[in-house]
Amino acid sequence: MIDEYIRRYGRRLYGLCRSLCPNPFDADDLYQETWLRVVKHIGKYDPSREFEPWLTRICVNTYRSALRRLARSPVLDFSSGEDKARFLQSLPAPEARDYTLLYQAVGRLPDKLRLAVVLFYFQGQDLASTAEILNIPVGTVKSRLNKARKLLKEALADETDGLF
């Protein structure tokens, strides 16, 4: 049964992992950890509901847990939230040939905005699915997407001023 899910959803899940993790090795780890959690919790899956939103929620929650562990890591002892934000923003964003500036700008968004953007725009989730995955109301998803669009518009305007 799990093999069928991996065959059917593995490619999209890996795309989500690459969108969330700039480093391909971290994306691989997230992908594997997500499937391990799926195997562990498959008994909790309600077959009357769609599998992909459930899988995506596990992936996002696994990603969030990894970020929390990283923030609490004694190796990376952040003295303030600004230090953490600066560190996370310094990580390279995933690159695509035609969308490098966009990916970099998305990578600099605060986590809660970036997650909404990745799920809605990059993974093609609808508002309801994005809200369910993030465990927030649909109105909050709309608000976060709106704020993210404004921030991206400003960031991309600043980035492209010298290009034209």
Side-chain angles (χ1 to χ4, degrees), residues 68-149:
R68 283 191 297 273
R69 275 193 308 275
L70 182 65
R72 290 189 307 256
S73 169
V75 174
L76 297 171
D77 187 19
F78 298 113
S79 58
S80 73
E82 291 176 11
D83 290 340
K84 177 186 171 192
R86 209 173 6 261
F87 171 76
L88 291 174
Q89 289 175 355
S90 72
L91 296 174
E95 293 185 19
R97 255 163 81 193
D98 298 328
Y99 302 105
T100 303
L101 293 176
L102 175 62
Y103 278 114
Q104 289 172 345
V106 169
R108 290 189 299 265
L109 288 173
D111 274 343
K112 63 183 182 180
L113 300 180
R114 186 164 52 92
L115 284 170
V117 166
V118 167
L119 291 171
F120 186 77
Y121 291 110
F122 295 173
Q123 294 299 307
Q125 299 289 335
D126 61 15
L127 289 171
S129 295
T130 301
E132 181 181 336
I133 290 164
L134 296 175
N135 201 25
I136 58 176
V138 172
T140 304
V141 172
K142 289 179 182 179
S143 173
R144 288 181 183 179
L145 291 172
N146 187 42
K147 183 167 182 155
R149 281 191 299 271

Side-chain angles (χ1 to χ4, degrees), residues 2-3 5-18 20-21 23-39 55 58-60 62-63:
I2 295 296
D3 291 337
Y5 287 133
I6 292 172
R7 186 190 62 71
R8 191 167 177 194
Y9 300 105
R11 191 177 193 115
R12 283 184 56 87
L13 177 65
Y14 189 72
L16 172 62
C17 293
R18 284 302 312 261
L20 294 173
C21 301
N23 179 325
F25 298 111
D26 292 339
D28 291 346
D29 289 345
L30 177 60
Y31 180 81
Q32 291 176 4
E33 183 64 28
T34 299
W35 283 116
L36 287 173
R37 288 187 182 192
V38 166
V39 169
L55 173 66
I58 290 174
C59 181
V60 168
T62 303
Y63 170 74

Side-chain angles (χ1 to χ4, degrees), residues 44-64:
K44 296 178 183 177
Y45 169 63
D46 177 5
S48 68
R49 302 183 78 164
E50 289 189 43
F51 182 78
E52 190 171 14
W54 184 74
L55 173 66
T56 304
R57 177 179 246 172
I58 290 174
C59 181
V60 168
N61 288 340
T62 303
Y63 170 74
R64 286 176 169 167

